[in-house]
Amino acid sequence: MSQPKETSVKEKKRAPVPGHTGRSSLPPNVSNSEEDEIPTVEAFGLIPRGFNTKDYLEVQNVHLFKLPNENNKKEHHTDRYFNNKLIIRRGQTFNIQIDFNRPYNPEKDQFWIEYVVGRYPQQSKGTYIPIPIVDELETGKWGAKITRNEMNSVNLTILSAPDCIIGKFRMYVAVLTQFGILRSSRNSETDTYILFNPWCKEDSVYMDDEREIEEYVMNDVGVIFHGDITNIKRRSWEYGQFEERILDACLYLMDKAQLDLSGRGNPIKISRVGSAVINAKDDDGVLAGNWNNDYTYGVSPSAWTGSVDILIEYHSSGLPVRYGQCWVFAGVFTTFLRCLGIPARLVSNYFSAHDNDANLQTDVYLDEDGKTNTTLTKDSIWNYHCWNEAWMTRPDLPVGFGGWQAVDATPQETSDGMFRCGPASVQAIKHGHVCFPFDAPFIFAEVNSDIVYSKAMRDGSKVIEYVDKTHVGQKIVTKEISGNGAQDITDTYKFSEGTEEERLALEAALMYGVKKETREDQLQSVPDADMDFQADNAVFGSDFKVTLTFKNQSTNHYTVSAFLTGHIVFYTGVLKAEFKNEDLELTLEPISTKTVEVQIKAHEYLSHLVEQASLHFFVTARINETKKILAQQKIVALQVPDLRIKVVGNKMVDKEMTVMVEFTNPLKKKLQNVSLRVSGPGILKTRTKIFKEVPVNSTLKWEEKCVPQRAGLRKLIASLDSDLLRHVYGELDVEILSGDDS
């Protein structure tokens, strides 16, 4: 049996496109949604008079078995998508049925299936895929095998290639005649989405652990860890990768990023352009970042409960959505990757070095009295920073550097001229092999920088007083599998401090071009006195105290001059306002310990608070007799009240129930323009409500009716936002019964 021609779909003659001459006369093919008109009759030459298409095999109908309860979607793990088209994963078989106008005779008739995507379809680019009828399917290749031929119907099992393009394809059935090819008409009902397949061993995103796939591809609700390392906080985030319109929105992002269709089978390229297009910094991407605490023209980053509203708004308008910060960028990026079938997880790095030009050094300058010199101190350490990891092979790197790849959509530094970061092999970062693409030196510095405390002398010279090698990258966490707790993954990024392996990794990074400006022999001797700093569990709107403990390990009498400053600080480490400044003088007896308590009053910090309610304390102490400097810094994340959620009524699919949200104002002043938001994948789409004011000690109550669409353990997520109070969340797990369970 002859097979379809190994060519592209026959194209109409086009005039050369200006600006696209040379190696290719066609413009870039960067839109999944644009179409070429494919001819229904493709003649080989002149068609003789009397030729009647009805004399040949003619397609009457195509059945794709695309309902959620039918095998194609169930076996391809795509039955959770709210989408009425066929959605399959590459490298795996699926079944279709074609009804012809008469019985198919394999001795006389020849037909094949065609998939086409974008414009200018070409077989060499993977944008035109002719699928031959074969006797046996062959792993790694497209092919269609007839499994039933009865009456006028033919059933086919089709196998897709495990490296084919990801996207929305148009489907045709082509019949060969002696005069030309007859093709079925354009029918949007047969459009087929093809996704990555982590279940397929030949796919570059293959994972061998079913529990990991369920967590990193199929879980549509995640946990974001924030706060600070001594008070790690968590909030749920609705990824919503299966929700209505989200799959089309994610494909639109690749169009917006102008990723050529031929590159859309490669998770390396997709994750790299994703890290650029999720932020709007230089390409009008999804989210506009805002770190200045003024959200007048958009939504406060802390008010979002998930990715769905953001992606739908962007897909509808094509304009950046306002506003995002690192956890919002990372949350939307997770949705994008999981929706396309790339395993992904969101990670939080506590004390993340930022914008230090990969020199492994963050500089803090003190004046000769030991106070912080804010003019010279420009580097900042983020309390935490969220980025993503995507799972894939790295055939462009040496063996062993596949697996988790760090990708970051928060606009921090440019990479090859755009604000993007990654994918960088986590394994390469751990071993210091930062010569490999992409952006490994930057991420290596985020988790490995030293904090260098230097004394700036009046004559302009600088003397290094102390180097803290363990502050940055203290803990890196992600959501645990099948739970909501934090899984510590620090050891995937770095070896334990002080080990031989850590030293070798650092030496490797230095060899590959990472700069390290501090020389060990510049450091002065370690002082024989020490200082510790602790803070109470601080509740938003209440007084609390901080405690300084000084330890004299020598046989000398010492006097100490200490300076404590308290700043309101963005989670990025940028200072906003000073609210506390206290000088302390004390005497240390030989071999002794002394404790000093400092009271922090609510009225001192409340009027200055910004996003995430973080207070930054910096303590420097000078031992007057030796002129040695002791330094400590501490982030205090204030505890904010929770939202309370409960449900009333039937917790059942297609039955109305009521969601109730309550909140009590804990402050000694009224809250104004309070925005409430509640959502839950499979239960209700996002609802918002504005309360003009919430008086002191009063409780607001909000009820919303909804009709759950999906059975199983689901989650409701709510947020509250106002100028005075942000990062207020609530969540509730709800078991929704199916109609069959009643």
Side-chain angles (χ1 to χ4, degrees), residues 405-420:
Q405 310 292 311
V407 283
D408 190 349
T410 299
Q412 297 179 87
E413 292 293 309
T414 57
S415 172
D416 297 332
M418 294 187 71
F419 282 93
R420 56 186 168 188

Side-chain angles (χ1 to χ4, degrees), residues 670-685:
K670 66 181 178 184
L671 297 174
Q672 294 181 308
N673 296 319
V674 175
S675 171
L676 273 179
R677 181 179 294 254
V678 64
S679 67
I683 297 181
L684 84 165
K685 294 181 179 178

Side-chain angles (χ1 to χ4, degrees), residues 28-37 116-120 127 165-170 172 186 188 191-193 247-256 258-261 264 315:
N29 194 7
V30 296
S31 174
N32 196 151
S33 58
E34 290 185 4
E35 299 185 14
D36 268 347
E37 184 180 337
V116 180
V117 63
R119 301 188 67 190
Y120 326 114
T127 51
I165 288 170
I166 299 306
K168 183 180 181 181
F169 286 78
R170 312 187 296 281
Y172 299 91
R186 173 79 178 96
S188 63
D191 286 354
T192 300
Y193 294 89
L247 179 52
D248 287 319
C250 291
L251 296 179
Y252 171 72
L253 296 198
M254 291 192 284
D255 291 358
K256 191 75 174 183
Q258 300 215 308
L259 176 60
D260 195 276
L261 291 175
R264 298 191 189 184
H315 188 206

Side-chain angles (χ1 to χ4, degrees), residues 411-595:
Q412 297 179 87
E413 292 293 309
T414 57
S415 172
D416 297 332
M418 294 187 71
F419 282 93
R420 56 186 168 188
C421 185
S425 166
V426 173
Q427 185 77 300
I429 292 165
K430 179 173 182 175
H431 289 273
H433 291 264
V434 295
C435 56
F436 300 128
F438 296 89
D439 310 310
F442 183 80
I443 300 169
F444 184 88
E446 283 186 301
V447 301
N448 284 297
S449 288
D450 295 340
I451 301 180
V452 180
Y453 295 92
S454 300
K455 188 189 293 183
M457 311 303 284
R458 291 185 180 92
D459 64 4
S461 63
K462 297 178 177 66
V463 178
I464 295 174
E465 291 286 337
Y466 172 59
V467 178
D468 189 338
K469 295 175 176 291
T470 62
H471 186 78
V472 169
Q474 281 189 38
K475 182 175 283 191
I476 306 169
V477 299
T478 189
K479 177 187 174 297
E480 65 184 357
I481 294 176
S482 306
N484 291 323
Q487 178 187 347
D488 190 336
I489 58 169
T490 313
D491 64 353
T492 66
Y493 279 86
K494 54 202 291 190
F495 292 102
S496 299
E497 299 286 350
T499 61
E500 178 69 9
E501 293 91 343
E502 187 219 8
R503 188 181 66 80
L504 290 173
L506 176 58
E507 289 180 2
L510 296 174
M511 179 180 71
Y512 289 127
V514 171
K515 300 182 291 293
K516 186 173 177 65
E517 296 172 0
T518 306
R519 290 170 51 87
E520 300 296 330
D521 56 11
Q522 287 179 285
L523 303 181
Q524 299 189 2
S525 58
V526 178
D528 50 13
D530 200 5
M531 176 180 66
D532 188 35
F533 180 100
Q534 296 296 328
D536 283 352
N537 188 18
V539 177
F540 189 97
S542 300
D543 301 345
F544 65 98
K545 71 176 186 292
V546 297
T547 303
L548 305 176
T549 303
F550 296 88
K551 183 180 291 185
N552 182 1
Q553 301 170 78
S554 76
T555 56
N556 303 317
H557 283 81
Y558 286 147
T559 58
V560 179
S561 297
F563 309 93
L564 179 144
T565 56
H567 285 87
I568 304 297
V569 64
F570 293 92
Y571 82 97
T572 58
V574 175
L575 305 182
K576 177 187 183 248
E578 182 180 295
F579 70 89
K580 190 76 172 179
N581 190 328
E582 191 140 335
D583 294 350
L584 304 166
E585 299 288 339
L586 61 144
T587 302
L588 288 180
E589 299 294 331
I591 315 298
S592 67
T593 299
K594 181 167 284 190
T595 298

Side-chain angles (χ1 to χ4, degrees), residues 258-316:
Q258 300 215 308
L259 176 60
D260 195 276
L261 291 175
S262 62
R264 298 191 189 184
N266 186 339
I268 301 170
K269 292 183 178 180
I270 288 178
S271 61
R272 183 147 176 81
V273 301
S275 76
V277 78
I278 297 296
N279 73 73
K281 190 75 172 180
D282 49 17
D283 55 4
D284 288 328
V286 179
L287 276 160
N290 185 337
W291 285 267
N292 66 15
N293 207 43
D294 180 4
Y295 310 116
T296 306
Y297 300 105
V299 176
S300 159
S302 60
W304 299 111
T305 56
S307 308
V308 173
D309 295 338
I310 295 169
L311 286 168
I312 287 177
E313 181 181 334
Y314 184 69
H315 188 206
S316 299

Side-chain angles (χ1 to χ4, degrees), residues 210-226:
E210 186 75 32
R211 291 174 65 248
E212 290 187 337
I213 299 176
E214 184 62 35
E215 180 64 59
Y216 300 132
V217 179
M218 304 301 291
N219 196 348
D220 59 357
V221 176
V223 174
I224 297 173
F225 296 97
H226 58 109

